[in-house]
Structures are given as C-alpha cells and as structure tokens.
Amino acid sequence: MQTPTKTRAKILVVAAVLAVAAPGIAYANTVGVTVKTPGATAGPVSAFSEISTHADCSSGLISGGGINQTIGTGSSSNGNKVNGTSPSPDGSTEYTGSTGVVGTDVTHWLGIGGSGGAVNGSFSSTPYAMCFTSSLINHTQVVMNKIAGPTTSGTVGLVVATCPANTRLIGGGARITPASVGSLKPIASYPTFNDSAHNYGQKAAANGATNPDSWAAVGWNGGGGNSNNTTYAYAICSGNGIDVSGSTVTVRFSEVSGPTAATSGQTATVGCGEGDGKLVSGGAAISGGSVTTTNFTGPGSVGDHLNGSFPSDSGGTPVSDGTTTGAYWTASTHTGGGSSPNTYTDVWALCADDGE
C-alpha cells in the first residue's frame, strides 16, 4: 500500500508534467487534398478564341487548381496558351466584376485554354481542382483584383490580390480577357507578400518563405492589340473568424533556365518537403528570371507563354483524378516563333500544416 506522502508526490509530478506539456502540445496536421480532373477537352479549334473547362470538388473546398495544355507539334504549337486558371462558383461563371471578396466556400476550378494565330487538332485543355479539407480551415473565401492592360507590345500588367487580415492564403489563380487578342496571355501566377520587402507583390515569395498573404498575376501582351485588355488575380484565403495562428503555409520554389530556342518548351517541378505539410496549390511563370529578388520582368520574346501549371509527380507528369498523395507542382512554358534569350521557367508549391 502506498503511503499518503508517496501518493501526493506522484500527483504533484503528474501535474507538473501536464503543466509543462500543455502549452506545447503538438496537434496532427489534418489538411487533406484530393485532386479532381475530368480529363482533356479538345480545342480551341479556331484562331483567337478560347475554351473553358472545369474541375469540380464533390467534397471539400478548392484551395487552388491548375491547367495543362496539350499543344501538338510544329510551328502551330506556338498558338496554344493558357488564358486562365481560376476559381468559379459553378463551373462556368467567372469572377470578373467588382473587386474584393467575390465568393465563399467555392468548389469549382476553371482551366481556360486560348489560341493565337495558329491552331491544330491536337490542342486541348485539362483542368485540375485541389479539393481541400481541414478541421481548422473549414471555410474559404476568394479575393479578386484586376488591372487594365497590358495594352502595348512587350509590356506586363501585374496585379495583386491580398487576403483579409487574420486569414491565411492557401492558393490563387490568374486570368486575362479578351480571348480575341491572341497575343494576350497570363505569364505568371504566384504567391507573394503585400509588403515593401516584396515591393507589394512585384517580387514573388521565395523558397522556404512562410505564410504569404497575397497572390499575383501577370499579363503579357505580345502583338500589341488592345480591346479593353484586363488582367485578373485571385487569392484563395481562409474564411473570416478562424484562428489561423497555429497554421503554417510554406512556399517551395524553383527556377530553371529556358526555353530560349524558338518553338520550344521547358518544365520546372518543385515539391513539398518533409515537415512542410500537404501540397494545397501551386503557381507558374515564364519570366526574365530572379523573380524572388527583383521586380518581375517579362521573358525574352513577346510570343512566350504558359502551357501548364498543375499538380504532378516528381518527374513532372500530371497526377490522375482522385490522387490524394500529390506532393509536387509543375510549370510548363513555351516560346513563340522567335528565339527568347535570358528566359526562365518558375514554379511554386504551397504546402499547408494546420497543426498547432
């Protein structure tokens, strides 16, 4: 039989252990993501046009999404480009009106493929929705911002959407209009910070950065056409009233040289590392390089464009419908009909942990 003194001593030891452990209790990461994709939709089939495809979450909320273009071969491949990768309330409607918070608990993602002056029967667009679940972040909101332009050849139009205070950025997207200006395209869609260190979004979030608060989109005008050209940025943020202080979103980033030759492509892939959390979204760019340390500049040729920004395996192959273990994001870029010196391909992965 234990003496009262020994019993009291044990109680005091247990209480002391609990008192020390309680503030530092580690909770498991409850973030889960299922990738949904319906496969490829053929088109566009005519010059200076676009097709809108969509991927939908039957459960969960979108934390982001992607698109992959099948471009065919030969010089006509130069004409197939991404026109948009963006959220939608129903799989067809776009958020292109008033800026600010435009949607809540969205479950659809658009992949919008466009064409320039050349098309062929190999063109197609495949959208990807990142269907997100979390015991902490159980509501989301979409913030949209837009800018007129770019209007002249070889110029960029950069716009930034910023999450409301005390919320967490988990993804984003980009869009340009109209499709009838075949040389107009979004060439960058990336996480950033609305602060002076990042020149309020003109510098992208770097590898290892945590908790970016904004998403940037960059429009690029090749031939100089202007029919009320507009560039849109979308930020996917946690809902209001959620204590996100214990959650962390980690950025993984990679930049590779190219493509530089005419009518050629390049890919770059980056993934979430051990301890980063789950892949929830990603971004891509074709640029003048050093995008995390200098203000964004356009690539070496006005015909350069994005052909994809999508969840993948470590080798850059897009994941299949229903994948729950995706950990990598791939950017696919392409030049036009001219050489493109000093051009780079950039890719970002966002990795989330909601443990405290």
Side-chain angles (χ1 to χ4, degrees), residues 274-337:
E274 184 177 356
D276 287 344
K278 300 289 184 64
L279 175 75
V280 293
S281 61
I286 184 167
S287 73
S290 302
V291 294
T292 65
T293 56
T294 62
N295 289 354
F296 188 94
T297 57
S301 174
V302 294
D304 296 347
H305 51 277
L306 291 176
N307 277 131
S309 176
F310 51 83
S312 71
D313 63 17
S314 60
T317 300
V319 300
S320 58
D321 182 56
T323 296
T324 59
T325 57
Y328 296 87
W329 200 269
T330 290
S332 172
T333 63
H334 203 268
T335 57

Side-chain angles (χ1 to χ4, degrees), residues 188-218:
S189 177
Y190 59 81
T192 185
F193 295 82
N194 184 28
D195 62 20
S196 59
H198 294 81
N199 206 2
Y200 304 98
Q202 294 193 62
K203 298 175 185 178
N207 186 52
T210 57
N211 299 332
D213 61 9
S214 302
W215 198 270
V218 180

Side-chain angles (χ1 to χ4, degrees), residues 92-174:
S92 60
T93 304
E94 295 192 66
Y95 295 118
T96 56
S98 299
T99 59
V101 176
V102 294
T104 56
D105 294 344
V106 175
T107 59
H108 305 271
W109 194 263
L110 301 176
I112 302 170
S115 61
V119 294
N120 70 41
S122 297
F123 287 4
S124 70
S125 298
T126 302
Y128 298 85
M130 307 295 285
C131 304
F132 171 91
T133 58
S134 163
S135 63
L136 176 66
I137 302 175
N138 55 359
H139 292 286
T140 59
Q141 55 189 315
V142 176
V143 178
M144 184 271 283
N145 199 9
K146 60 183 177 180
I147 188 173
T151 58
T152 57
S153 180
T155 58
V156 301
L158 190 151
V159 60
V160 177
T162 298
C163 290
N166 302 314
T167 66
R168 187 74 77 225
L169 176 82
I170 55 175

